[in-house]
Every structure is written in structure tokens, then in C-alpha cells.
């Protein structure tokens, strides 16, 4: 639960009681930052036709589900690991890998390579690039010492993150996002293997 504790500490900097007047504001700040990665929405200005929007839950949804005073970080802790009410498409996951690879920006996903240099398609997260460099180092360790080590290519500095998407209708789905090489990346990927388990 490192991610849960980090999430909870961010949402409840004033403690966990009713005195925490910043909880909702901080949740909305977190949600807005997540949306800057292209999650929870369809990409606009793209030549990719069919898209699902995914979902990053709103305060309104939680108020409706739990009541205005019925939810705290512990109630929504599954969001800290991308589960619960978070829905993401494989395209959004690949775009997230590209954003990490680019150290804080993405180009609207598209098929026509002539669109690549269109400045209106570049989207900045506005986050300090230091965090992206640290994230890249951690993702590289996933491939050398962690859950991705069995699939690492030694001649290529790969960065990745493995995951499991819970499936209430059968075996869980296996997920991987990654990019390579770690410095000056050229490719970003997302893989979803349905019903593959952990």
C-alpha cells in the first residue's frame, strides 16, 4: 500500500477527521492532474474514429454514491492503483506511457504521420519534469529487477509497469505499459491480455 498511503496523505494533509476542510478540493486537484494525461476522456482533433472515453470519477459521483460526508480516502483507495471507478482504454494507457516517455507531454494519438508536427496536438501536463525522470528510473527497475524482468531485452534500456485489471466476470486481465529506450525514447506501448490472470 505505498500508493494508497501516498494518495491518502495527499488527500488528507490535515488528518482524517471531519476537520479536514481541504479533502474535496485536493481530490479535485488530483482528478484534474490525472485528466492532463489524457485519461477519462476521448481524444479530440484526432483521425482515430471509434474511441471510448474511459472515466475518472467526479466528486459528484461519490456524493451520489456515498453521500456528501460518506466518503474519504479510505473509501476510494482503489483509485490510487488505477482500479475502482477508474476506467482506461488501451489507447489511453499507451498515451500515458508516451507521456511518461516524453517527460510530461503527449501528442494527440493519430494515424496520419503528417499530423505529428501540428503544435495544436501537443498537450503539456504542467508537472515538474524531475518526477518523470524518477518515474522512468523506477520503470526501468521494473524491467531489470521487478515483475517485468522476465521480458527485459538487455541491449535496450526498457521502462515498464505491469498490472492486473480485476474482472468480475472471470479471470483477471494482465496489463503492461512501457517505453524504450529510457533516454530519448522512440516507442511507447500498452498491452492488455484478457483473462490472463496476474
Amino acid at each position: 500500500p505505498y500508493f494508497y498511503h501516498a494518495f491518502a496523505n495527499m488527500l488528507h494533509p490535515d488528518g482524517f477527521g471531519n476537520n479536514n476542510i481541504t479533502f474535496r478540493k485536493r481530490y479535485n486537484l488530483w482528478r484534474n492532474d490525472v485528466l492532463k494525461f489524457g485519461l477519462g476522456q476521448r481524444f479530440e482533433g484526432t483521425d482515430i474514429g471509434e474511441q471510448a472515453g474511459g472515466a475518472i470519477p467526479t466528486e459528484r459521483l461519490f456524493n451520489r454514491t456515498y453521500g456528501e460526508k460518506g466518503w474519504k480516502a479510505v473509501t476510494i483507495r482503489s483509485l490510487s492503483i488505477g482500479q475502482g471507478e477508474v476506467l482506461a482504454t488501451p489507447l489511453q494507457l499507451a498515451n500515458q506511457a508516451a507521456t511518461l516517455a516524453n517527460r510530461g507531454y503527449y501528442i494527440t494519438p493519430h494515424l496520419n504521420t503528417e499530423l505529428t508536427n501540428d503544435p495544436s496536438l501537443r498537450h503539456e501536463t504542467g508537472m515538474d519534469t524531475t518526477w518523470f525522470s524518477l518515474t522512468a528510473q523506477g520503470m526501468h527497475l521494473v524491467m531489470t529487477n521487478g515483475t517485468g524482468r522476465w521480458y527485459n531485452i538487455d541491449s535496450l534500456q526498457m521502462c515498464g509497469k505491469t498490472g492486473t485489471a480485476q474482472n468480475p466476470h472471470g479471470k483477471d486481465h494482465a496489463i503492461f505499459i512501457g517505453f524504450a529506450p529510457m533516454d530519448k525514447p522512440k516507442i511507447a506501448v500498452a498491452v492488455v491480455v484478457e483473462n490472463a490472470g496476474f
Side-chain angles (χ1 to χ4, degrees), residues 4 7 11-12 25 37 39 57 75 95 98 108 123 126 129 134 147 149 151-152 156 160 165 168 170 173 185 187 198:
Y4 165 64
F7 187 63
L11 295 178
H12 292 290
K25 178 180 178 185
F37 284 80
L39 296 169
T75 318
N95 189 67
T108 300
H123 305 274
T129 56
L134 290 169
T147 52
R149 69 187 177 278
Y151 310 103
N152 190 43
L156 187 63
H173 309 312
I187 188 169
F198 174 77

Side-chain angles (χ1 to χ4, degrees), residues 7 11-12 16-18 20 22-28 30-31 57-77 79 85:
F7 187 63
L11 295 178
H12 292 290
F16 292 92
N18 290 331
N20 192 330
T22 62
F23 170 66
R24 301 299 162 84
K25 178 180 178 185
R26 294 181 73 82
Y27 176 77
N28 286 313
W30 172 84
R31 183 177 184 277
T58 62
E59 177 183 349
R60 185 174 165 194
L61 172 74
F62 289 133
N63 287 343
R64 195 170 61 236
T65 304
Y66 300 110
E68 285 199 28
K69 295 188 177 181
W71 61 286
K72 301 276 187 251
V74 69
T75 318
I76 59 172
R77 65 183 166 204
L79 301 184
E85 293 82 1

Side-chain angles (χ1 to χ4, degrees), residues 67-140:
E68 285 199 28
K69 295 188 177 181
W71 61 286
K72 301 276 187 251
V74 69
T75 318
I76 59 172
R77 65 183 166 204
S78 59
L79 301 184
S80 67
I81 56 171
Q83 292 188 350
E85 293 82 1
V86 170
L87 299 175
T89 68
L91 178 61
Q92 291 170 344
L93 293 175
N95 189 67
Q96 185 177 20
T99 307
L100 296 170
N102 290 335
R103 308 305 197 260
Y105 74 89
Y106 69 88
I107 307 295
T108 300
H110 55 275
L111 300 173
N112 182 350
T113 57
E114 293 178 14
L115 297 175
T116 301
N117 295 320
D118 182 343
S120 70
L121 299 182
R122 182 176 169 132
H123 305 274
E124 300 281 348
T125 63
M127 294 177 192
D128 186 340
T129 56
T130 303
W131 302 117
F132 292 100
S133 296
L134 290 169
T135 301
Q137 291 172 25
M139 291 176 71
H140 180 61

Side-chain angles (χ1 to χ4, degrees), residues 157-178:
Q157 278 196 306
M158 299 171 63
C159 297
K161 177 68 182 86
T162 62
T164 306
Q166 295 175 335
N167 175 18
H169 308 292
K171 284 185 77 175
D172 292 341
H173 309 312
I175 295 179
F176 175 81
I177 68 167

